[in-house]
Amino acid sequence: MSGGGLLVAGTTSDAGKSVVTAGICRWLVRQGVKVAPFKAQNMSLNSFVTREGAEIGRAQAMQAQACRVEPTALMNPVLLKPGGERSSQVVLMGRPVGEMSARGYHGGRQEQLLGTVLDCLERLRGTYDAVICEGAGSPAEINLRRTDIVNMGIARNAGLPVLVVGDIDRGGVFASFFGTVALLSPEDQKLVAGFLVNKFRGDVSLLEPGLEMLHGLTGRRTYGVLPFQHGLGIDEEDGLRVSLRGTVRESQVAAPVGEDVLRVAVCAVPLMSNFTDVDALAAEPGVVVRFVDRPEELADADLVVVPGTRGTVRALEWLRERGLADALRRRAAEGRPVLGICGGFQVLGEHIEDDVESRRGQVDGLGVLPVRVRFAREKTLTRPVGEALGETVEGYEIHHGVAEVLGGEAFLDGCRVGQAWGTHWHGSLESDAFRRAFLREVARAAGRRFVPAPDTSFAALREEQLDRLGDLIEQHADTDALWRLIESGAPTGLPFIPPGAPA
């Protein structure tokens, strides 16, 4: 017998679907429910490597952590990694299967994947008591409904009830809720059980008349009003954010243990991927992280990070156009710390041969590190463990570029020359002891009296975030009604709201 299920849809992208899904997952697992996350199709440059060597969206990996289960490719069978304005790499069941334009994907390929997606969902439902699915964008994107496999397409084929999340902090949430339902076909509307308000500030009693009117207009109830909270979030899918963004964007950086703060500048390269690598730095008391795109913004930085990118050659050109390339070379020559991760590591090398990603052939790198990179058609997807600065380090690799290291000191399968460091390993800074050793080295080179906190546990901070999300659901949603949805499906007799989807 298949377990229960729920699809968390949203009125818009970034309405809070990922966060709400993770919160529901953590609430359920604390009730003793065996639960798994699922997102049929994810478009993101932030990805993760599972134990079996499959690439999935980082948001689903974090949702799996909320469920206290190991992430697998079943939880995100289709991952689209944009490579430009018009094309994406298609990753199917954790492995890349080629590049495709948006027109080509929505013109037929997407429909062909529906069987795979439904099979993955059914396998999860056969193993878990409940599967909490996340939609993408809005379910009312009427131009894409025919080929949809992630919103109402999966909901209707799998008989899933749908909860629509709206971000009230943006404004217009009532119109968004009503319009979302009213643009769906009668068959799809039958599955939309109700709404969840996200990021509400103020007195809920002032909102209640509007919720009652919405119920009268749509025949659908609101399952909860989640308050706005600073510093909440899990790994983001897209956008210029870090997942522990409260530390960086919305709250004061915790006071340093030593006398100085440490300033980290992250080059906001095009098609930036896995920028979540800097989250662990942002979580350290006294470390200030900011994204930059001008050379003068590197002047007061104690550490500059060149992050991963889905377009290494394009990022290299961007760094040169902006004047950042020369600034990075000067920093390295002066012995000021620079860290390149994955694509950022490749950029710092001497030479790139790319007939795969950009197809630009031979391109000169910045020459900061003695490394030559050749792009292979086969993607490297691994979970390495090693040692650096006397500490154990774990990470994960996602790249086509194969690095030939010609000199320098060994550093996490990459190299180090002076204070220029490069590695293909994502996630290495989440290893607490190594991160502290690295920050001590950076502080020494930068002449800062910065001392890493002795007890910062990044894994514990992630758990704390997930528990806060679970608390939000438990304290501000009608959990009994949510469980009835998961267990029994959408209520019967939900009214049709005209006009419905266009013919």
Side-chain angles (χ1 to χ4, degrees):
M1 181 179 174
S2 293
L6 175 70
L7 176 72
V8 178
T11 56
T12 61
S13 295
D14 205 29
K17 296 183 294 290
S18 296
V19 167
V20 168
T21 300
I24 292 173
C25 287
R26 179 47 62 101
W27 158 65
L28 285 171
V29 81
R30 294 195 308 206
Q31 308 309 307
V33 177
K34 189 179 179 185
V35 60
F38 180 77
K39 185 160 185 171
Q41 171 196 297
N42 196 345
M43 178 171 279
S44 178
L45 287 172
N46 283 335
S47 58
F48 182 76
V49 179
T50 67
R51 293 283 179 202
E52 75 264 35
E55 185 179 8
I56 67 171
R58 274 197 69 97
Q60 279 60 65
M62 279 293 95
Q63 289 162 356
Q65 185 175 347
C67 297
R68 297 178 181 148
V69 298
E70 192 67 34
T72 73
L74 291 174
M75 297 170 183
N76 180 208
V78 182
L79 173 64
L80 306 178
K81 301 192 73 176
E85 294 297 323
R86 295 175 179 267
S87 68
S88 294
Q89 183 181 68
V90 181
V91 179
L92 179 62
M93 295 304 294
R95 295 286 172 181
V97 294
E99 297 279 334
M100 190 165 289
S101 69
R103 180 181 291 274
Y105 185 68
H106 289 286
R109 177 61 166 163
Q110 190 174 34
E111 287 178 286
Q112 296 169 10
L113 296 174
L114 181 60
T116 299
V117 162
L118 289 170
D119 178 64
C120 290
L121 177 56
E122 190 56 34
R123 287 169 66 184
L124 288 173
R125 294 181 78 179
T127 305
Y128 293 89
D129 301 328
V131 178
I132 308 303
C133 308
E134 180 188 342
S138 161
E141 289 165 349
I142 53 179
N143 56 316
L144 302 177
R145 176 61 186 91
R146 183 181 62 81
T147 58
D148 172 42
I149 63 169
V150 65
N151 290 307
M152 301 313 298
I154 192 89
R156 202 196 299 186
N157 276 281
L160 295 172
V162 178
L163 184 70
V164 180
V165 178
D167 180 353
I168 197 169
D169 199 46
R170 293 181 172 191
V173 76
F174 293 115
S176 298
F177 281 145
F178 183 88
T180 296
V181 180
L183 279 177
L184 300 178
S185 68
E187 294 80 7
D188 286 348
Q189 286 194 23
K190 288 177 182 177
L191 296 171
V192 179
F195 313 106
L196 186 78
V197 176
N198 192 28
K199 299 183 185 176
F200 180 71
R201 304 175 192 248
D203 185 346
V204 176
S205 67
L206 299 176
L207 188 65
E208 287 171 352
L211 300 179
E212 291 171 8
M213 285 185 271
L214 182 67
H215 184 267
L217 288 166
T218 66
R220 290 159 174 85
R221 57 166 298 180
T222 298
Y223 284 77
V225 177
L226 308 185
F228 186 99
Q229 288 197 9
H230 288 281
L232 257 188
I234 60 170
D235 287 8
E236 301 284 349
E237 292 182 356
D238 299 295
L240 190 62
R241 296 180 182 86
V242 293
S243 63
L244 296 176
R245 62 187 182 278
T247 315
V248 181
R249 298 290 187 196
E250 296 172 357
S251 9
Q252 294 292 321
V253 174
V257 175
E259 295 178 48
D260 288 345
V261 298
L262 209 62
R263 294 171 176 83
V264 178
V266 184
C267 295
V269 296
L271 297 173
M272 184 165 48
S273 61
N274 286 69
F275 51 82
T276 46
D277 282 330
V278 301
D279 289 356
L281 296 178
E284 282 286 350
V287 175
V288 182
V289 177
R290 66 183 189 273
F291 291 92
V292 303
D293 60 3
R294 297 182 303 197
E296 55 268 27
E297 293 178 293
L298 305 189
D300 68 343
D302 302 307
L303 168 67
V304 174
V305 177
V306 187
T309 171
R310 175 76 168 90
T312 300
V313 171
R314 182 175 168 188
L316 189 54
E317 292 172 342
W318 180 88
L319 290 168
R320 287 183 167 127
E321 290 164 3
R322 294 274 176 155
L324 286 160
D326 289 338
L328 287 167
R329 277 194 287 257
R330 283 195 301 272
R331 281 188 67 91
E334 294 166 0
R336 302 177 66 199
V338 176
L339 171 64
I341 302 173
C342 200
F345 168 41
Q346 297 166 8
V347 159
L348 295 179
E350 298 174 351
H351 186 79
I352 296 169
E353 186 178 336
D354 181 10
D355 295 318
V356 176
E357 193 175 75
S358 70
R359 301 178 184 173
R360 294 284 297 277
Q362 298 188 10
V363 179
D364 288 334
L366 297 187
V368 171
L369 294 174
V371 174
R372 293 183 178 178
V373 176
R374 177 185 55 81
F375 274 67
R377 298 201 177 276
E378 189 72 19
K379 183 183 280 192
T380 298
L381 296 167
T382 62
R383 292 273 292 269
V385 178
E387 186 177 295
L389 299 178
E391 304 292 349
T392 299
V393 189
E394 295 184 23
Y396 58 99
E397 296 185 54
I398 305 169
H399 54 91
H400 284 280
V402 178
E404 181 187 4
V405 178
L406 303 173
E409 299 176 48
F411 174 67
L412 300 180
D413 292 339
C415 68
R416 169 192 181 182
V417 175
Q419 288 300 320
W421 316 64
T423 177
H424 272 132
W425 292 24
H426 294 290
S428 63
L429 294 166
E430 295 178 20
S431 297
D432 296 327
F434 164 70
R435 182 180 66 254
R436 287 192 278 271
F438 178 69
L439 288 176
R440 281 193 292 270
E441 180 78 7
V442 168
R444 182 191 62 75
R448 297 287 185 189
R449 289 172 293 184
F450 170 85
V451 179
D455 55 356
T456 302
S457 166
F458 190 69
L461 286 171
R462 282 199 187 281
E463 278 296 302
E464 182 183 310
Q465 292 285 78
L466 293 169
D467 276 331
R468 288 178 68 195
L469 295 178
D471 292 343
L472 272 182
I473 298 298
E474 193 167 326
Q475 295 167 13
H476 301 282
D478 186 338
T479 52
D480 289 340
L482 271 181
W483 178 245
R484 285 195 297 273
L485 272 187
I486 293 165
E487 194 174 38
S488 305
T492 57
L494 293 169
F496 171 71
I497 308 303

